[in-house]
Amino acid sequence: MDLRIFTEPQQGATYDTLLTVAKATEDLGFDAFFRSDHYLRMGDVDGLPGPTDAWITLAGLARETKRIRLGTLMTAGTFRLPGVLAIQVAQVDQMSGGRVELGLGAGWFEEEHTAYGIPFPKEKFARLEEQLAIVTGLWATEVGKTFEFHGTYYDLTDSPALPKPAQARIPVLIGGHGATRTPRLAAQYADEFNIPFASIEDSERQFGRVRAAAEAEGRRADDLTYSNALVVCVGRDDQEVARRAAAIGREVDELKANGLAGSPAEVVDKIGRYAAIGSQRLYLQILDLSDLDHLELISSQVQSQLP
C-alpha cells in the first residue's frame, strides 16, 4: 500500500508552507506529494493569504525535491486549455526528472470560476473527454510528426506536439463517483482510478465498475492502479486525536466514520480493510499543514506497519 500526502492549499497556505510539507513528505518516506487545484477556499476558513496555482507550485517543488512523485487531485479541466496544459505538465515533468502525474477532472466549483472570471461551461464532461484525448495525444505524437484534433470544443491543426515529458508516459489519474461515464473514461485514458472520500462499500462497488469497463475496453483490469483519497487524523491517544480533529474543525466520530482517524492501530486496521477490496494507494488528506508531527507519527507508526 502506497501512502501519499494530499494537501488542500486553497484553505490557506503559502508556497513556503507547501515546500516545507513536501520536504517532510520526502524525508519521512512517503511516496508522493499531491495538491488540489482550486482558487477559492471552502467552508468556514479565511483562506489567507490566498490561493496558489497548482502547476506553478509543482514546478517549484520539482526543483526542490529529489524522490517523491508530484501531482494533482484533480487539475480542473475548466482552468486550462488542453494544449497549454500539455505543455505545462510536460515542462514540470522535465523539471522534476520524470516524477509528475496528472490527475484531470471536469471541474465543479462554480463559485471559484465566478470569483476569478473563469468560464464555467455546462458541458464539462464532454469537454473533459476531448481534453484527455488532446493531452495524451500530444504527448504520444512522435517527434517530427504533427498532431491534429477536430472536436466539438477544441480544434488543433498542425501542432508540433512539443515539448515531450521526461517520462515515456506520464501517469494519468481519473476519479469520481459516476456510475457509467466516469468508469468508461477511466478505462479509455487512465493509468490510475481514484475515488475520493468514499466508504469501503462504495469504493468496492466503483472499483468493480471500473474493472468491468477496462475489460470492455480491451484492457486487463489490473492494468490500472486503484486508489482512495481520505482525510486522516491520527493521534497517540484519544486526547491527541481530539486535538487534531478540533484543529481542522471536525468531530472525531465523523472522521472515524468517513476517513482514517484514531490511534495508529485503528488506522492501520482500516487501511487493511481498504486494501482487502482492492485499494492499492491512499492519498492522505492533510488539512493542518503546520502539524508536521502528524506526518512523523503517520510515517513511524502507520506506514511502518503496512505490508
Side-chain angles (χ1 to χ4, degrees):
M1 176 71 75
D2 294 334
L3 296 188
R4 296 181 160 189
I5 300 303
F6 169 43
T7 62
E8 301 270 10
Q10 76 277 356
Q11 301 301 90
T14 64
Y15 171 76
D16 286 340
T17 297
L18 296 172
L19 175 60
T20 298
V21 174
K23 286 187 171 181
T25 297
E26 186 158 84
D27 292 342
L28 292 169
F30 293 104
D31 182 60
F33 175 94
F34 271 58
R35 60 157 292 165
S36 60
D37 187 20
H38 287 294
Y39 292 137
L40 195 66
R41 56 108 179 102
M42 302 170 193
D44 189 23
V45 297
D46 58 27
L48 293 175
T52 51
D53 181 82
W55 285 100
I56 291 176
T57 297
L58 295 177
L61 299 181
R63 307 302 288 177
E64 297 282 356
T65 58
K66 295 180 173 60
R67 177 188 60 79
I68 50 173
R69 308 288 295 177
L70 301 166
T72 51
L73 282 182
M74 299 282 187
T75 289
T78 48
F79 287 175
R80 299 166 180 86
L81 296 171
V84 175
L85 181 63
I87 292 170
Q88 291 173 319
V89 177
Q91 182 179 0
V92 178
D93 194 52
Q94 292 172 357
M95 293 168 70
S96 71
R99 294 183 284 123
V100 158
E101 304 186 9
L102 172 63
L104 185 58
W108 61 271
F109 189 20
E110 186 171 3
E111 288 87 346
E112 67 187 334
H113 296 74
T114 302
Y116 286 97
I118 303 167
F120 190 68
K122 291 182 179 179
E123 57 293 301
K124 292 180 290 297
F125 199 91
R127 286 176 181 268
L128 173 62
E129 190 160 5
E130 290 194 8
Q131 290 163 349
L132 285 161
I134 291 166
V135 171
T136 57
L138 286 167
W139 291 338
T141 300
E142 293 181 23
V143 174
K145 295 186 178 181
T146 59
F147 175 80
E148 298 210 0
F149 182 90
H150 306 292
T152 302
Y153 307 103
Y154 304 101
D155 201 286
L156 286 74
T157 300
D158 200 26
S159 172
L162 296 172
K164 298 304 183 194
Q167 298 175 85
R169 178 183 174 90
I170 289 180
V172 172
L173 289 74
I174 294 173
H177 297 259
T180 304
R181 293 189 300 174
T182 296
R184 176 181 59 77
L185 211 56
Q188 190 171 358
Y189 291 105
D191 299 280
E192 178 177 338
F193 178 78
N194 177 269
I195 184 166
F197 313 117
S199 68
I200 293 169
E201 295 75 19
D202 287 346
S203 298
E204 183 175 27
R205 187 177 305 111
Q206 186 70 334
F207 289 162
R209 294 183 183 121
V210 175
R211 295 179 71 89
E215 291 174 353
E217 185 69 21
R219 300 177 65 182
R220 294 188 310 121
D222 289 340
D223 285 346
L224 281 78
T225 296
Y226 299 86
S227 64
N228 288 84
L230 294 163
V231 65
V232 65
C233 181
V234 188
R236 295 172 181 84
D237 52 39
D238 290 346
Q239 291 75 23
E240 192 167 78
V241 175
R243 174 176 63 78
R244 289 201 163 108
I248 61 174
R250 304 279 285 270
E251 298 293 331
V252 172
D253 289 346
E254 179 267 323
L255 287 169
K256 287 187 175 184
N258 298 313
L260 301 171
S263 68
E266 288 178 285
V267 171
V268 168
D269 177 72
K270 192 163 187 182
I271 289 174
R273 289 157 60 198
Y274 274 96
I277 57 94
S279 186
Q280 300 160 284
R281 180 173 290 158
L282 294 177
Y283 293 81
L284 306 179
Q285 185 194 44
I286 301 292
L287 295 174
D288 184 356
L289 299 182
S290 67
D291 188 0
L292 298 183
D293 181 61
H294 192 200
L295 295 185
E296 194 284 326
L297 177 65
I298 297 168
S299 172
S300 65
Q301 297 195 33
V302 176
Q303 182 169 243
S304 64
Q305 303 303 312
L306 300 177

PDB file of all heavy atoms in Angstrom, residues 172-197:
ATOM      1  N   VAL A 172      -1.749   9.140 -15.872  1.00  0.00           N
ATOM      2  CA  VAL A 172      -2.965   9.950 -15.861  1.00  0.00           C
ATOM      3  C   VAL A 172      -3.929   9.344 -14.847  1.00  0.00           C
ATOM      4  O   VAL A 172      -4.199   8.139 -14.873  1.00  0.00           O
ATOM      5  CB  VAL A 172      -3.608  10.004 -17.255  1.00  0.00           C
ATOM      6  CG1 VAL A 172      -4.983  10.682 -17.196  1.00  0.00           C
ATOM      7  CG2 VAL A 172      -2.694  10.738 -18.236  1.00  0.00           C
ATOM      8  N   LEU A 173      -4.430  10.194 -13.952  1.00  0.00           N
ATOM      9  CA  LEU A 173      -5.407   9.777 -12.955  1.00  0.00           C
ATOM     10  C   LEU A 173      -6.764  10.350 -13.312  1.00  0.00           C
ATOM     11  O   LEU A 173      -6.891  11.534 -13.631  1.00  0.00           O
ATOM     12  CB  LEU A 173      -5.021  10.287 -11.564  1.00  0.00           C
ATOM     13  CG  LEU A 173      -3.826   9.678 -10.837  1.00  0.00           C
ATOM     14  CD1 LEU A 173      -2.513  10.137 -11.449  1.00  0.00           C
ATOM     15  CD2 LEU A 173      -3.862  10.067  -9.364  1.00  0.00           C
ATOM     16  N   ILE A 174      -7.779   9.509 -13.250  1.00  0.00           N
ATOM     17  CA  ILE A 174      -9.165   9.920 -13.411  1.00  0.00           C
ATOM     18  C   ILE A 174      -9.911   9.389 -12.197  1.00  0.00           C
ATOM     19  O   ILE A 174      -9.633   8.281 -11.715  1.00  0.00           O
ATOM     20  CB  ILE A 174      -9.759   9.377 -14.714  1.00  0.00           C
ATOM     21  CG1 ILE A 174      -9.056  10.020 -15.920  1.00  0.00           C
ATOM     22  CG2 ILE A 174     -11.266   9.611 -14.788  1.00  0.00           C
ATOM     23  CD1 ILE A 174      -9.453   9.445 -17.254  1.00  0.00           C
ATOM     24  N   GLY A 175     -10.847  10.175 -11.678  1.00  0.00           N
ATOM     25  CA  GLY A 175     -11.547   9.732 -10.486  1.00  0.00           C
ATOM     26  C   GLY A 175     -12.972  10.206 -10.433  1.00  0.00           C
ATOM     27  O   GLY A 175     -13.435  10.967 -11.286  1.00  0.00           O
ATOM     28  N   GLY A 176     -13.672   9.745  -9.406  1.00  0.00           N
ATOM     29  CA  GLY A 176     -15.036  10.194  -9.192  1.00  0.00           C
ATOM     30  C   GLY A 176     -15.984   9.072  -8.839  1.00  0.00           C
ATOM     31  O   GLY A 176     -15.605   7.895  -8.775  1.00  0.00           O
ATOM     32  N   HIS A 177     -17.241   9.455  -8.644  1.00  0.00           N
ATOM     33  CA  HIS A 177     -18.277   8.528  -8.179  1.00  0.00           C
ATOM     34  C   HIS A 177     -19.262   8.128  -9.276  1.00  0.00           C
ATOM     35  O   HIS A 177     -20.120   7.285  -9.029  1.00  0.00           O
ATOM     36  CB  HIS A 177     -19.055   9.162  -7.020  1.00  0.00           C
ATOM     37  CG  HIS A 177     -18.224   9.435  -5.804  1.00  0.00           C
ATOM     38  ND1 HIS A 177     -18.235   8.615  -4.699  1.00  0.00           N
ATOM     39  CD2 HIS A 177     -17.346  10.431  -5.529  1.00  0.00           C
ATOM     40  CE1 HIS A 177     -17.410   9.103  -3.781  1.00  0.00           C
ATOM     41  NE2 HIS A 177     -16.855  10.203  -4.264  1.00  0.00           N
ATOM     42  N   GLY A 178     -19.159   8.744 -10.454  1.00  0.00           N
ATOM     43  CA  GLY A 178     -20.116   8.458 -11.513  1.00  0.00           C
ATOM     44  C   GLY A 178     -20.153   6.994 -11.894  1.00  0.00           C
ATOM     45  O   GLY A 178     -19.109   6.342 -11.995  1.00  0.00           O
ATOM     46  N   ALA A 179     -21.352   6.488 -12.130  1.00  0.00           N
ATOM     47  CA  ALA A 179     -21.520   5.048 -12.321  1.00  0.00           C
ATOM     48  C   ALA A 179     -21.245   4.576 -13.739  1.00  0.00           C
ATOM     49  O   ALA A 179     -20.947   3.401 -13.947  1.00  0.00           O
ATOM     50  CB  ALA A 179     -22.939   4.639 -11.922  1.00  0.00           C
ATOM     51  N   THR A 180     -21.329   5.452 -14.728  1.00  0.00           N
ATOM     52  CA  THR A 180     -21.236   4.997 -16.115  1.00  0.00           C
ATOM     53  C   THR A 180     -20.136   5.702 -16.896  1.00  0.00           C
ATOM     54  O   THR A 180     -19.194   5.077 -17.379  1.00  0.00           O
ATOM     55  CB  THR A 180     -22.586   5.198 -16.834  1.00  0.00           C
ATOM     56  OG1 THR A 180     -23.617   4.526 -16.096  1.00  0.00           O
ATOM     57  CG2 THR A 180     -22.529   4.636 -18.248  1.00  0.00           C
ATOM     58  N   ARG A 181     -20.254   7.023 -17.033  1.00  0.00           N
ATOM     59  CA  ARG A 181     -19.304   7.747 -17.881  1.00  0.00           C
ATOM     60  C   ARG A 181     -17.907   7.785 -17.268  1.00  0.00           C
ATOM     61  O   ARG A 181     -16.915   7.658 -17.991  1.00  0.00           O
ATOM     62  CB  ARG A 181     -19.811   9.170 -18.137  1.00  0.00           C
ATOM     63  CG  ARG A 181     -21.072   9.240 -18.980  1.00  0.00           C
ATOM     64  CD  ARG A 181     -21.402  10.664 -19.381  1.00  0.00           C
ATOM     65  NE  ARG A 181     -21.624  11.520 -18.215  1.00  0.00           N
ATOM     66  CZ  ARG A 181     -21.816  12.836 -18.296  1.00  0.00           C
ATOM     67  NH1 ARG A 181     -21.811  13.447 -19.470  1.00  0.00           N
ATOM     68  NH2 ARG A 181     -22.031  13.548 -17.197  1.00  0.00           N
ATOM     69  N   THR A 182     -17.818   7.940 -15.956  1.00  0.00           N
ATOM     70  CA  THR A 182     -16.502   8.002 -15.314  1.00  0.00           C
ATOM     71  C   THR A 182     -15.727   6.702 -15.482  1.00  0.00           C
ATOM     72  O   THR A 182     -14.556   6.725 -15.880  1.00  0.00           O
ATOM     73  CB  THR A 182     -16.660   8.369 -13.825  1.00  0.00           C
ATOM     74  OG1 THR A 182     -17.214   9.687 -13.727  1.00  0.00           O
ATOM     75  CG2 THR A 182     -15.321   8.337 -13.111  1.00  0.00           C
ATOM     76  N   PRO A 183     -16.311   5.525 -15.207  1.00  0.00           N
ATOM     77  CA  PRO A 183     -15.574   4.284 -15.465  1.00  0.00           C
ATOM     78  C   PRO A 183     -15.167   4.125 -16.930  1.00  0.00           C
ATOM     79  O   PRO A 183     -14.059   3.644 -17.213  1.00  0.00           O
ATOM     80  CB  PRO A 183     -16.563   3.193 -15.032  1.00  0.00           C
ATOM     81  CG  PRO A 183     -17.409   3.849 -13.990  1.00  0.00           C
ATOM     82  CD  PRO A 183     -17.567   5.262 -14.478  1.00  0.00           C
ATOM     83  N   ARG A 184     -16.041   4.529 -17.842  1.00  0.00           N
ATOM     84  CA  ARG A 184     -15.688   4.409 -19.258  1.00  0.00           C
ATOM     85  C   ARG A 184     -14.490   5.288 -19.613  1.00  0.00           C
ATOM     86  O   ARG A 184     -13.572   4.862 -20.320  1.00  0.00           O
ATOM     87  CB  ARG A 184     -16.891   4.804 -20.119  1.00  0.00           C
ATOM     88  CG  ARG A 184     -16.584   4.797 -21.623  1.00  0.00           C
ATOM     89  CD  ARG A 184     -17.791   5.224 -22.445  1.00  0.00           C
ATOM     90  NE  ARG A 184     -18.282   6.545 -22.117  1.00  0.00           N
ATOM     91  CZ  ARG A 184     -17.703   7.676 -22.527  1.00  0.00           C
ATOM     92  NH1 ARG A 184     -16.600   7.639 -23.265  1.00  0.00           N
ATOM     93  NH2 ARG A 184     -18.224   8.841 -22.203  1.00  0.00           N
ATOM     94  N   LEU A 185     -14.477   6.507 -19.098  1.00  0.00           N
ATOM     95  CA  LEU A 185     -13.365   7.411 -19.381  1.00  0.00           C
ATOM     96  C   LEU A 185     -12.076   6.902 -18.737  1.00  0.00           C
ATOM     97  O   LEU A 185     -10.997   6.973 -19.340  1.00  0.00           O
ATOM     98  CB  LEU A 185     -13.703   8.804 -18.855  1.00  0.00           C
ATOM     99  CG  LEU A 185     -13.128  10.000 -19.612  1.00  0.00           C
ATOM    100  CD1 LEU A 185     -13.524   9.964 -21.083  1.00  0.00           C
ATOM    101  CD2 LEU A 185     -13.589  11.303 -18.959  1.00  0.00           C
ATOM    102  N   ALA A 186     -12.177   6.381 -17.518  1.00  0.00           N
ATOM    103  CA  ALA A 186     -11.003   5.816 -16.860  1.00  0.00           C
ATOM    104  C   ALA A 186     -10.457   4.628 -17.649  1.00  0.00           C
ATOM    105  O   ALA A 186      -9.243   4.475 -17.823  1.00  0.00           O
ATOM    106  CB  ALA A 186     -11.352   5.389 -15.438  1.00  0.00           C
ATOM    107  N   ALA A 187     -11.349   3.784 -18.128  1.00  0.00           N
ATOM    108  CA  ALA A 187     -10.919   2.618 -18.897  1.00  0.00           C
ATOM    109  C   ALA A 187     -10.196   3.017 -20.170  1.00  0.00           C
ATOM    110  O   ALA A 187      -9.274   2.333 -20.618  1.00  0.00           O
ATOM    111  CB  ALA A 187     -12.122   1.742 -19.233  1.00  0.00           C
ATOM    112  N   GLN A 188     -10.590   4.139 -20.745  1.00  0.00           N
ATOM    113  CA  GLN A 188     -10.008   4.577 -22.011  1.00  0.00           C
ATOM    114  C   GLN A 188      -8.679   5.299 -21.833  1.00  0.00           C
ATOM    115  O   GLN A 188      -7.757   5.120 -22.630  1.00  0.00           O
ATOM    116  CB  GLN A 188     -10.997   5.487 -22.738  1.00  0.00           C
ATOM    117  CG  GLN A 188     -10.599   5.813 -24.173  1.00  0.00           C
ATOM    118  CD  GLN A 188     -11.701   6.535 -24.921  1.00  0.00           C
ATOM    119  OE1 GLN A 188     -12.792   6.771 -24.393  1.00  0.00           O
ATOM    120  NE2 GLN A 188     -11.440   6.875 -26.173  1.00  0.00           N
ATOM    121  N   TYR A 189      -8.555   6.105 -20.752  1.00  0.00           N
ATOM    122  CA  TYR A 189      -7.403   7.000 -20.660  1.00  0.00           C
ATOM    123  C   TYR A 189      -6.535   6.842 -19.400  1.00  0.00           C
ATOM    124  O   TYR A 189      -5.390   7.291 -19.387  1.00  0.00           O
ATOM    125  CB  TYR A 189      -7.863   8.461 -20.715  1.00  0.00           C
ATOM    126  CG  TYR A 189      -8.407   8.867 -22.052  1.00  0.00           C
ATOM    127  CD1 TYR A 189      -9.784   9.036 -22.246  1.00  0.00           C
ATOM    128  CD2 TYR A 189      -7.567   9.093 -23.136  1.00  0.00           C
ATOM    129  CE1 TYR A 189     -10.295   9.412 -23.483  1.00  0.00           C
ATOM    130  CE2 TYR A 189      -8.067   9.465 -24.373  1.00  0.00           C
ATOM    131  CZ  TYR A 189      -9.429   9.630 -24.540  1.00  0.00           C
ATOM    132  OH  TYR A 189      -9.921   9.993 -25.758  1.00  0.00           O
ATOM    133  N   ALA A 190      -7.048   6.255 -18.341  1.00  0.00           N
ATOM    134  CA  ALA A 190      -6.374   6.352 -17.054  1.00  0.00           C
ATOM    135  C   ALA A 190      -5.340   5.256 -16.827  1.00  0.00           C
ATOM    136  O   ALA A 190      -5.508   4.117 -17.261  1.00  0.00           O
ATOM    137  CB  ALA A 190      -7.392   6.323 -15.924  1.00  0.00           C
ATOM    138  N   ASP A 191      -4.302   5.625 -16.113  1.00  0.00           N
ATOM    139  CA  ASP A 191      -3.364   4.671 -15.530  1.00  0.00           C
ATOM    140  C   ASP A 191      -3.761   4.352 -14.097  1.00  0.00           C
ATOM    141  O   ASP A 191      -3.370   3.316 -13.558  1.00  0.00           O
ATOM    142  CB  ASP A 191      -1.941   5.249 -15.552  1.00  0.00           C
ATOM    143  CG  ASP A 191      -1.474   5.541 -16.956  1.00  0.00           C
ATOM    144  OD1 ASP A 191      -1.048   4.602 -17.647  1.00  0.00           O
ATOM    145  OD2 ASP A 191      -1.564   6.714 -17.385  1.00  0.00           O
ATOM    146  N   GLU A 192      -4.511   5.269 -13.490  1.00  0.00           N
ATOM    147  CA  GLU A 192      -4.957   5.087 -12.109  1.00  0.00           C
ATOM    148  C   GLU A 192      -6.371   5.616 -11.970  1.00  0.00           C
ATOM    149  O   GLU A 192      -6.723   6.659 -12.538  1.00  0.00           O
ATOM    150  CB  GLU A 192      -4.027   5.838 -11.151  1.00  0.00           C
ATOM    151  CG  GLU A 192      -4.439   5.753  -9.676  1.00  0.00           C
ATOM    152  CD  GLU A 192      -3.444   6.441  -8.755  1.00  0.00           C
ATOM    153  OE1 GLU A 192      -2.260   6.599  -9.173  1.00  0.00           O
ATOM    154  OE2 GLU A 192      -3.826   6.839  -7.638  1.00  0.00           O
ATOM    155  N   PHE A 193      -7.187   4.883 -11.209  1.00  0.00           N
ATOM    156  CA  PHE A 193      -8.526   5.359 -10.888  1.00  0.00           C
ATOM    157  C   PHE A 193      -8.576   5.678  -9.405  1.00  0.00           C
ATOM    158  O   PHE A 193      -8.234   4.849  -8.559  1.00  0.00           O
ATOM    159  CB  PHE A 193      -9.605   4.333 -11.225  1.00  0.00           C
ATOM    160  CG  PHE A 193     -10.967   4.827 -10.833  1.00  0.00           C
ATOM    161  CD1 PHE A 193     -11.620   5.753 -11.631  1.00  0.00           C
ATOM    162  CD2 PHE A 193     -11.560   4.423  -9.650  1.00  0.00           C
ATOM    163  CE1 PHE A 193     -12.860   6.261 -11.253  1.00  0.00           C
ATOM    164  CE2 PHE A 193     -12.798   4.917  -9.272  1.00  0.00           C
ATOM    165  CZ  PHE A 193     -13.447   5.837 -10.075  1.00  0.00           C
ATOM    166  N   ASN A 194      -9.047   6.890  -9.088  1.00  0.00           N
ATOM    167  CA  ASN A 194      -9.114   7.337  -7.705  1.00  0.00           C
ATOM    168  C   ASN A 194     -10.554   7.666  -7.327  1.00  0.00           C
ATOM    169  O   ASN A 194     -11.259   8.357  -8.068  1.00  0.00           O
ATOM    170  CB  ASN A 194      -8.245   8.584  -7.510  1.00  0.00           C
ATOM    171  CG  ASN A 194      -8.340   9.135  -6.093  1.00  0.00           C
ATOM    172  OD1 ASN A 194      -9.163   9.986  -5.796  1.00  0.00           O
ATOM    173  ND2 ASN A 194      -7.489   8.629  -5.236  1.00  0.00           N
ATOM    174  N   ILE A 195     -10.972   7.195  -6.174  1.00  0.00           N
ATOM    175  CA  ILE A 195     -12.293   7.566  -5.671  1.00  0.00           C
ATOM    176  C   ILE A 195     -12.098   8.373  -4.388  1.00  0.00           C
ATOM    177  O   ILE A 195     -11.446   7.913  -3.445  1.00  0.00           O
ATOM    178  CB  ILE A 195     -13.211   6.341  -5.462  1.00  0.00           C
ATOM    179  CG1 ILE A 195     -14.612   6.798  -5.041  1.00  0.00           C
ATOM    180  CG2 ILE A 195     -12.622   5.332  -4.496  1.00  0.00           C
ATOM    181  CD1 ILE A 195     -15.677   5.723  -5.140  1.00  0.00           C
ATOM    182  N   PRO A 196     -12.605   9.605  -4.355  1.00  0.00           N
ATOM    183  CA  PRO A 196     -12.372  10.472  -3.203  1.00  0.00           C
ATOM    184  C   PRO A 196     -13.438  10.324  -2.128  1.00  0.00           C
ATOM    185  O   PRO A 196     -14.634  10.284  -2.415  1.00  0.00           O
ATOM    186  CB  PRO A 196     -12.416  11.876  -3.827  1.00  0.00           C
ATOM    187  CG  PRO A 196     -13.380  11.740  -4.975  1.00  0.00           C
ATOM    188  CD  PRO A 196     -13.229  10.327  -5.484  1.00  0.00           C
ATOM    189  N   PHE A 197     -12.986  10.202  -0.886  1.00  0.00           N
ATOM    190  CA  PHE A 197     -13.851  10.310   0.283  1.00  0.00           C
ATOM    191  C   PHE A 197     -15.038   9.364   0.193  1.00  0.00           C
ATOM    192  O   PHE A 197     -16.202   9.771   0.357  1.00  0.00           O
ATOM    193  CB  PHE A 197     -14.299  11.771   0.462  1.00  0.00           C
ATOM    194  CG  PHE A 197     -13.149  12.742   0.336  1.00  0.00           C
ATOM    195  CD1 PHE A 197     -13.127  13.683  -0.682  1.00  0.00           C
ATOM    196  CD2 PHE A 197     -12.076  12.677   1.207  1.00  0.00           C
ATOM    197  CE1 PHE A 197     -12.059  14.558  -0.817  1.00  0.00           C
ATOM    198  CE2 PHE A 197     -10.995  13.551   1.079  1.00  0.00           C
ATOM    199  CZ  PHE A 197     -10.990  14.493   0.063  1.00  0.00           C
TER     200      PHE A 197
END
